Amino acid sequence: MAEYSPKDLLATLEAAQTGERDPRTCEIVNRIVADLFRTIEELNVQPAEFWAAVKWLNQLGAAQQVGLATAGLGFDRLLDILADQADERAGLATGTPRAIEGPLYVTNAPLSDYEARLDDGTDVGETLVMDGVVYGADGKPLANAIVDVWHADSKGGYSHFDPTQSEFNLRRRLRTDAQGRYRFRSLVPSGYGVPPGSPTEQILDRLGRHGQRPAHIHFLVTGEGQRPLTTQINIPGDAYLQDDFAFATRDGLIVELDPTDRTDDVASLGVTGKHTRVHFDFHLQPA
Ligand code: MBD
Ligand code: FE
């Protein structure tokens, strides 16, 4: 009797797709299943290993960490590399480099015109004043652009996900003024580490890796007629700057820190003593 092979099983699986199917879903799922069948066959994956992976995936989902694991396994950066390549082919490879969104963005942060204070005053750390201009694809300053900014606190935690922080702490949307300017007061963030004991940490341990990100600040910049830009800036001097577990550090996104005690121009932000300044402009692409 002829053996029913893995290839036969694949063919049977695909032949069962006789209903009102979504062709794109079929194409992708069939490819992934075929690739995994091959992996299991060629690497002689044992049932105990397979079921351990299923258990891990369930734990990963239950912990809401699928998007954290994808970042750590390089998928998020992969999507950026492919988008960069597409831009290159289209002659659009200018402007501020993109960098991964990550799993910790929250929509609808409080909206302010031009400037805001991001921190709720309860955290320790160095006061940061960051400012800059959003430029449209035409090279001119863009009024009424929205700079949506979010970052970690001194312990590397993000509000909404860290229940000890107040709602929308270190998260704001800033609307640029007529000159395209935005600015905010906050605290210099610390780096992020994946939660200890979590499913994401477990897989990183098995891979002989750490789960640390260097200190960074996220941005989603949008404006009329412009392509939305998701990016991050990195704080220099961090031990993990070139060893990011999410592979997101890029040239052009590492800012300079400017320590100052000048306060006359930041009175509306309530800044009094010594603090750190960062200047960073965003250059958008056409929609
Ligand atoms: C982060 O803060 C982050 O930016 C990414 C990409 C993954 C985990 C935590
Ligand atoms: Fe982050």
Side-chain angles (χ1 to χ4, degrees):
M1 197 181 95
E3 246 185 287
Y4 188 66
S5 70
K7 273 208 162 42
D8 296 330
L9 175 57
L10 263 180
T12 306
L13 277 165
E14 294 184 22
Q17 292 160 359
T18 56
E20 213 180 292
R21 51 182 227 142
D22 179 65
R24 181 65 172 161
T25 302
C26 290
E27 181 183 30
I28 294 170
V29 171
N30 292 343
R31 173 61 170 271
I32 291 171
V33 170
D35 285 352
L36 269 179
F37 275 24
R38 205 166 69 90
T39 300
I40 290 167
E41 207 183 343
E42 292 182 4
L43 300 186
N44 194 22
V45 171
Q46 294 302 296
E49 293 176 315
F50 179 82
W51 296 115
V54 169
K55 186 176 168 187
W56 176 77
L57 282 168
N58 276 328
Q59 291 169 342
L60 192 68
Q64 305 262 303
Q65 286 184 0
V66 177
L68 184 60
T70 61
L73 294 174
F75 289 97
D76 302 35
R77 182 62 200 269
L78 169 70
L79 297 181
D80 275 0
I81 291 169
L82 297 176
D84 286 352
Q85 289 178 348
D87 280 357
E88 192 80 50
R89 287 191 297 271
L92 287 171
T94 58
T96 303
R98 57 169 59 81
I100 69 175
E101 177 178 306
L104 304 174
Y105 175 62
V106 175
T107 55
N108 282 316
L111 177 64
S112 297
D113 283 324
Y114 175 50
E115 65 177 358
R117 178 174 180 178
L118 274 54
D119 67 293
D120 65 8
T122 62
D123 200 8
V124 294
E126 214 172 307
T127 296
L128 168 74
V129 174
M130 180 163 170
D131 73 352
V133 173
V134 176
Y135 291 94
D138 60 1
K140 295 182 182 136
L142 187 67
N144 298 314
I146 302 293
V147 178
D148 197 334
V149 49
W150 70 104
H151 69 79
D153 71 359
S154 66
K155 298 189 219 68
Y158 284 78
S159 66
H160 188 88
F161 302 94
D162 168 8
T164 71
Q165 291 186 47
S166 61
E167 202 185 6
F168 291 116
N169 189 37
L170 311 178
R171 299 179 186 274
R172 286 296 182 282
R173 287 178 296 155
L174 308 166
R175 194 194 331 258
T176 57
D177 70 4
Q179 286 84 52
R181 297 176 302 181
Y182 75 92
R183 73 175 184 177
F184 62 85
R185 167 187 179 174
S186 196
L187 297 168
V188 178
S190 296
Y192 168 93
V194 302
S198 67
T200 302
E201 189 185 61
Q202 284 168 21
I203 191 71
L204 292 169
D205 277 352
R206 288 275 195 130
L207 295 169
R209 293 184 46 195
H210 67 72
Q212 302 296 318
R213 294 212 65 211
H216 60 281
I217 301 176
H218 296 267
F219 298 92
L220 168 56
V221 186
T222 53
E224 214 185 304
Q226 316 295 316
R227 181 168 73 179
L229 171 71
T230 301
T231 192
Q232 307 178 17
I233 57 110
N234 278 104
I235 307 297
D238 193 296
Y240 291 99
L241 190 59
Q242 301 300 343
D243 189 21
D244 175 10
F245 106 105
F247 314 103
T249 303
R250 303 193 63 164
D251 292 343
L253 297 177
I254 302 165
V255 297
E256 268 178 49
L257 302 183
D258 176 23
T260 185
D261 45 24
R262 179 178 175 194
T263 54
D264 58 296
D265 59 336
V266 286
S268 58
L269 289 169
V271 178
T272 49
K274 272 198 168 101
H275 60 281
T276 299
R277 301 260 182 124
V278 168
H279 182 84
F280 193 81
D281 296 335
F282 298 96
H283 298 266
L284 304 180
Q285 286 286 338

